[in-house]
Amino acid sequence: MDNTLDTTVSAKGGIHPRNVALAHAATVALLLAIFAAANDWFRSSALPIAAILGVLSGAAAGAIICTLVHEWFHYLGAIATRGRYRRPSRLALFAFEWDFKHNSPRQFLVMSYAGTLGSLAAIALFMLSIPAETPCSIALLAASVGSLAFAGAIEWPVIARVQRGGDPLVELSKTTPRVVLTSAGIGFVTLLIVAYALT
């Protein structure tokens, strides 16, 4: 896939935010289309396979879309604080690469808090527009909250340490694979709790 993306790399180096936005928007549209089809299939048939595919597609849509919105709000936070950043070197989850050397801790904090705000906005939009009426929709809503819990378990301790005077890059470097795995567990447990509450 990387080879097919080389044509989108600008002269300044890195992929233009517009191209990243288009790719992410297409991903969101595809995930929602698959979820809607699976949810409709479950409603019309109530077959076990329809429920399984609906739950999986709903969980994928909730987690991935919420994460993408989270990352774009990080980007908006970077712009709002006039932070310096680089374009991503390849098309992936992240909309930009933060420049730790040339940004202040305050700029880092604004950019970081913006991500959480994005997750909350995505969850609120889901809650307002998708009723928790089927296992498929419940999975979507629960996974969006689980996505916030996962990101928060990684980011909030870093934010807290930076607020106490820590260096952003040093504190972020403490995010070991074990921290990521633990955060994933927190996100999954949160997903299950929310799903149970919505059932």
Side-chain angles (χ1 to χ4, degrees), residues 9-10 12 29 45 51 56-57 61 64 74 83 97 102 105 110 117 121-122 138-139 166 187 195 198:
V9 177
S10 71
K12 294 180 180 180
S45 69
L56 292 176
S57 64
I64 296 173
H74 275 318
E97 296 176 3
H102 296 101
V110 172
L117 180 61
I138 289 174
L198 292 175

Side-chain angles (χ1 to χ4, degrees), residues 28-115:
V28 169
L30 178 62
L31 288 168
L32 289 177
I34 294 173
F35 160 73
N39 195 38
D40 287 344
W41 184 25
F42 172 80
R43 285 177 179 275
S44 63
S45 69
L47 292 172
I49 185 63
I52 292 172
L53 292 178
V55 167
L56 292 176
S57 64
I64 296 173
I65 293 173
C66 190
T67 300
L68 289 175
V69 174
H70 180 100
E71 293 303 323
W72 278 99
F73 267 71
H74 275 318
Y75 179 71
L76 294 177
I79 293 176
T81 194
R82 298 182 182 275
R84 296 182 62 177
Y85 58 88
R86 294 177 294 276
R87 295 177 181 178
S89 58
R90 60 188 180 87
L91 187 56
L93 173 66
F94 304 112
F96 68 102
E97 296 176 3
W98 186 248
D99 188 339
F100 286 92
K101 182 177 180 180
H102 296 101
N103 289 315
S104 68
R106 183 191 69 81
Q107 289 172 307
F108 174 82
L109 289 171
V110 172
M111 181 272 295
S112 298
Y113 277 122

Side-chain angles (χ1 to χ4, degrees), residues 147-172:
S147 171
L148 170 61
F150 170 62
I154 293 175
E155 296 178 358
W156 296 339
V158 175
I159 291 172
R161 294 194 296 267
V162 172
Q163 285 186 317
R164 292 195 296 266
D167 177 81
L169 181 57
V170 171
E171 299 305 333
L172 189 62

